[in-house]
Amino acid sequence: MTADTPVGIVGLGLMGFALSARLVDAKIPLVGFDIDPFRCGMFKATGGRVATSVRELAACSRTIIVAVYSGEQVEALFGEIDDGAGAARPVVICITTCGPGEIIGIAERASRAGLPLLEAPISGTSIEVLNGTATALLAGDDAVLDQVGGLLNILCPRSLRFGAIGDASRAKLAINLILQNNRAALAEGLAFAERLGLDGHAFLAAARQSAAYSRVMDTKGEKMLTRDYRPQSHIAQTLKDAELIIEQAGRCGMHLPLTTIQAELLRTAIALEGPDRDSAAVIEAIRRPPASPEVLR
């Protein structure tokens, strides 16, 4: 394969599209696939070539980026990647957030098929990916990481290397736990300040200067205040990750009280706003009117 051989992207949602935009800007030839025709049309409009199947994409790609919803979906498409890939087996970069056991099983399947696999879940929203401020959490064979290091640097200039496959997923879940609870705390603080009669924007500016500061104030504070829930990350995906975190904690014999409550807030927000809104919509689960007068006592 040559430098003109395209990079393939499977999954053209918010994250996959943001990654493809970075590669387009770097003049990297691309071929993409998604089951959603609208997403494929958007990808084509940016200059990418749309494949008719994962198998076709695998047959013509030097590297394949997998950016689908779940580990289960990654597993489901691996047969097509294996069937389509030729003698020059492409490196597969999985950015999907998976459970550690899931990605280890996927890596074992990839190894049997002779497909080098890297684990690269991304910490950050699609906007942060576009801006180059997201962080890729990398795990896998060092030689393979070095082989595609230039491409990884285009996708995410910021990265952290972990050890074996599975370690990046473990780190991503623990990071997401902190991030999601920070977001819920910000939502509760803003809703509380509003209910106390404070100007929300003035309070957010003050909070940014206080000991309570976290970066989520910069990324989600204004969206919460203005009810701008155009998605940078889908709240349904946030809930999926929260449920994955709780499941993994259960496997370790651990209860996560804050994350369990936060997952309930996400479910309520999804019922109120829908699954495709931004994760900032979690504030609506806190703003909602009390269910009964007893709540006010």
Side-chain angles (χ1 to χ4, degrees):
M1 294 188 179
T2 69
D4 293 332
T5 305
V7 169
I9 299 184
V10 181
L12 299 172
L14 289 174
M15 191 62 72
F17 192 81
L19 292 168
S20 72
R22 291 192 62 82
L23 295 175
V24 166
D25 286 346
K27 311 300 183 187
I28 304 293
L30 292 177
V31 57
F33 176 80
D34 196 285
I35 59 173
D36 185 335
F38 178 75
R39 292 177 180 176
C40 289
M42 289 181 61
F43 175 74
K44 185 176 181 180
T46 68
R49 178 164 66 86
V50 177
T52 59
S53 66
V54 173
R55 188 176 287 105
E56 179 191 326
L57 179 145
C60 66
S61 300
R62 52 180 157 137
T63 306
I64 299 173
I65 300 162
V66 177
V68 294
Y69 179 76
S70 66
E72 184 179 8
Q73 290 183 355
V74 178
E75 290 186 71
L77 60 83
F78 239 85
E80 291 186 75
I81 292 176
D82 185 13
D83 290 344
R89 309 297 270 175
V91 175
V92 179
I93 302 172
C94 180
I95 72 154
T96 300
T97 300
C98 302
E102 284 181 316
I103 194 64
I104 289 170
I106 291 164
E108 290 171 351
R109 181 173 181 180
S111 179
R112 290 193 297 269
L115 291 164
L117 178 81
L118 295 177
E119 182 184 14
I122 293 174
S123 180
T125 67
S126 58
I127 296 299
E128 289 171 313
V129 168
L130 284 171
N131 292 338
T133 57
T135 301
L137 311 178
L138 308 175
D141 184 84
D142 284 341
V144 180
L145 282 164
D146 291 340
Q147 177 185 337
V148 295
L151 180 66
L152 289 169
N153 190 57
I154 293 169
L155 293 171
C156 269
R158 299 181 180 183
S159 66
L160 296 169
R161 283 200 185 192
F162 292 84
I165 295 286
D167 286 345
S169 288
R170 294 182 182 99
K172 175 65 185 297
L173 293 179
I175 288 169
N176 274 9
L177 182 154
I178 297 169
L179 175 62
Q180 290 190 14
N181 287 324
N182 277 348
R183 189 186 298 129
L186 173 63
E188 190 169 73
L190 290 176
F192 181 55
E194 290 174 332
R195 188 64 64 91
L196 289 175
L198 294 174
D199 177 80
H201 292 89
F203 171 74
L204 177 61
R208 281 175 168 155
Q209 301 301 315
S210 76
Y213 173 75
S214 67
R215 199 164 66 124
V216 73
M217 293 181 182
D218 301 331
T219 58
K220 299 299 181 183
E222 191 67 21
K223 290 178 74 65
M224 290 178 179
L225 289 174
T226 61
R227 289 181 162 89
D228 174 11
Y229 303 139
R230 290 171 296 177
Q232 298 174 348
S233 56
H234 289 127
I235 196 168
Q237 184 91 40
T238 305
L239 176 59
K240 186 270 291 185
D241 289 354
E243 291 173 337
L244 188 54
I245 290 164
I246 292 167
E247 176 192 338
Q248 291 299 311
R251 291 174 183 267
C252 300
M254 186 179 184
H255 175 58
L256 301 174
L258 294 179
T259 302
T260 299
I261 292 169
Q262 191 261 149
E264 283 302 319
L265 291 174
L266 291 170
R267 293 185 187 101
T268 299
I270 288 170
L272 292 168
E273 296 289 330
D276 295 327
R277 305 294 271 167
D278 189 82
S279 57
V282 68
I283 194 172
E284 296 303 330
I286 300 163
R287 279 182 175 140
R288 63 179 178 171
S292 66
E294 285 76 15
V295 177
L296 299 175
R297 292 177 184 172

